[in-house]
Amino acid sequence: MKEEFASILDKIEESIGKALPFPLKEGDNWIFQSFGKLPEAINTQYLEKLIEPNHNLISLGGKRWRPLLLILTYQKAAKENPASKLSLEKAYSLTPLVEFVHTASLIHDDIEDSADLRRGKPSAYITYGLDTALNAASWLYFQAGVCINQSDIPDALKITLYQTYTKELRKLHLGQAMDIYWHRNPEIFPSLDEYKAMVRNKTGTLACLSALIGSLAGGMKEEKALEIGEIAANIGIGFQIIDDVINLTSGNKGKKRGDDIVEGKKSLPVLLHAEKNFADREKIAILMEKASKEGIESTAVEECIQLLESSNSIKEAANMGISLIEDNCKKLDSELIRELFESMIPEEYKCRKEQID
């Protein structure tokens, strides 16, 4: 990754550390900023029980591309709107917002999918218990907004940022509701448009939020910032499609190949195959139910993947994902943003003009 990205990422990590310190110290001003005045009986031990599951997942790493996108879109907007931009320091203070929302969504997603692993380690609900993980992640959704509240920025912009953050958060939960409904009902196969709408809300919303917050902080007018946000959302959709493909090929990092089959996910390769081979829908539903009962080692997992490979649906989905990423990167007209997203595409998927056999 570019040296310039490394410098930005260092500052993002610093901002995240300030926004979610661990361990806590008695009398730390962060406690008052987050909770206001608390009863004396509440000591740091109780606060740390709330924070620890979130801090642990954040400390395991992650690409941090969402806060990085926030800063890159800020820089682009700030060059075009020097008189109305926030300072770079204030822009960095907003970066934990998108990483906190992302982290909370991962903890909830693992609970809802009964996923065993996240970033190569047991999921938070397994490590800390379902009640603790659920409560901690729910709190982090709200804690994200403190980044706006404590920042010294004009009130009108604060209101716009709050409205943007809460609207995209509501969209995220709508997308998750759609995804849950589909994988709880193996016989349901949504249309491609429904799939794209779900991913726009579940995954694309965080790319959109990052670009929107960055553009608004850089002084861009809201109407133009919304356009940038939608372009970023399309890039987010592209990466979710690539993630779907990797799950069925090499396997996502920290997870096992084909665990989307176990979870009954109606990913794009599944839907493309079902659209071309209507008669296979019942077979796919049966295989997913069997995999759900038997786990990742079930023979149904590989049988289902081979079925999808037989129609080239996995390869076709990969090409569609790369097209979305490349085409929308061009619309953003930023060399740094283009380089960021190109660096995230696995080498084997970088040539989207690959022929479908």
Side-chain angles (χ1 to χ4, degrees):
M1 188 174 282
K2 288 177 68 71
E3 186 175 331
E4 186 172 350
F5 290 168
S7 174
I8 294 172
L9 287 167
D10 285 343
K11 293 174 183 175
I12 287 170
E13 291 300 325
E14 183 180 345
S15 297
I16 291 172
K18 289 179 180 177
L20 195 72
F22 192 88
L24 291 173
K25 297 177 182 177
E26 293 286 353
D28 194 327
N29 188 51
W30 176 90
I31 299 173
F32 182 79
Q33 289 175 335
S34 180
F35 300 96
K37 185 173 176 58
L38 290 171
E40 291 183 5
I42 299 178
N43 57 40
T44 56
Q45 170 188 245
Y46 297 120
L47 295 170
E48 287 178 354
K49 293 299 180 186
L50 176 64
I51 297 167
E52 187 177 359
N54 303 309
H55 178 270
N56 182 55
L57 182 54
I58 289 172
S59 68
L60 288 176
K63 300 182 182 73
R64 304 283 195 263
W65 67 263
R66 295 165 187 84
L68 181 52
L69 176 61
L70 188 156
I71 293 299
L72 295 179
T73 50
Y74 162 82
Q75 291 176 337
K76 183 178 186 300
K79 286 181 181 179
E80 300 167 1
N81 306 275
S84 53
K85 69 178 179 68
L86 296 180
S87 68
L88 181 58
E89 181 182 358
K90 290 176 183 176
Y92 272 110
S93 73
L94 295 171
T95 58
L97 186 152
V98 292
E99 195 63 26
F100 287 178
V101 171
H102 174 56
T103 300
S105 73
L106 294 181
I107 293 175
H108 278 179
D109 198 46
D110 288 342
I111 293 169
E112 291 158 353
D113 292 341
S114 300
D116 294 334
L117 297 173
R118 174 64 65 179
R119 293 175 179 163
K121 299 292 183 180
S123 298
Y125 76 95
I126 294 175
T127 301
Y128 297 98
L130 176 61
D131 48 2
T132 297
L134 184 63
N135 186 59
S138 297
W139 169 78
L140 193 60
Y141 279 131
F142 296 104
Q143 180 65 19
V146 176
C147 298
I148 300 171
N149 189 49
Q150 68 182 21
S151 186
D152 181 22
I153 57 180
D155 287 343
L157 179 57
K158 266 190 179 181
I159 291 170
T160 300
L161 293 178
Y162 264 122
Q163 290 174 335
T164 299
Y165 145 66
T166 53
K167 179 181 68 178
E168 294 301 323
L169 195 54
R170 291 191 293 271
K171 286 182 179 179
L172 186 153
H173 285 78
L174 171 59
Q176 183 71 337
M178 295 169 73
D179 195 26
I180 292 170
Y181 174 60
W182 296 337
H183 76 242
R184 279 186 175 274
N185 296 276
E187 73 283 359
I188 294 177
F189 286 81
S191 69
L192 295 183
D193 284 343
E194 287 174 319
Y195 167 83
K196 290 175 184 176
M198 179 276 289
V199 178
R200 161 58 182 89
N201 287 301
K202 180 178 174 180
T203 305
T205 194
L206 290 181
C208 178
L209 178 62
S210 302
L212 271 171
I213 296 290
S215 297
L216 291 167
M220 188 178 287
K221 297 292 185 182
E222 188 173 358
E223 184 177 351
K224 178 62 177 175
L226 287 168
E227 292 178 13
I228 300 298
E230 283 308 307
I231 293 169
N234 286 331
I235 294 172
I237 293 171
F239 275 106
Q240 181 58 58
I241 292 171
I242 296 302
D243 195 63
D244 290 347
V245 168
I246 292 172
N247 185 279
L248 300 171
T249 52
S250 57
N252 303 107
K253 186 176 180 181
K255 295 208 168 192
K256 295 179 180 179
R257 164 181 156 109
D259 65 352
D260 278 358
I261 303 297
V262 176
E263 293 170 14
K265 290 293 182 73
K266 303 299 169 45
S267 63
L268 185 58
V270 171
L271 297 179
L272 288 172
H273 182 91
E275 187 178 67
K276 292 183 286 188
N277 303 274
F278 192 90
D280 282 347
R281 294 183 178 210
E282 184 178 358
K283 184 175 184 180
I284 291 172
I286 291 170
L287 289 171
M288 284 184 167
E289 283 193 282
K290 182 180 179 185
S292 177
K293 291 175 182 176
E294 297 177 355
I296 193 64
E297 303 301 329
S298 173
T299 57
V301 173
E302 288 303 319
E303 188 176 346
C304 193
I305 292 174
Q306 288 173 18
L307 186 64
L308 302 179
E309 288 175 339
S310 70
S311 63
N312 281 313
S313 295
I314 298 176
K315 190 183 291 184
E316 185 180 347
N319 288 348
M320 289 173 67
I322 297 300
S323 292
L324 270 171
I325 296 166
E326 291 182 349
D327 294 346
N328 282 279
C329 277
K330 291 175 185 175
K331 294 178 183 178
L332 287 175
D333 191 29
S334 167
E335 185 68 18
L336 281 177
I337 294 175
R338 182 185 63 78
E339 289 187 21
L340 164 64
F341 288 125
E342 282 190 353
S343 72
M344 291 165 53
I345 300 172
E347 287 295 328
E348 61 267 35
Y349 301 111
K350 284 189 175 179
C351 182
R352 72 175 173 90
K353 294 180 181 178
E354 182 180 8
Q355 293 293 315
I356 301 294
D357 297 328

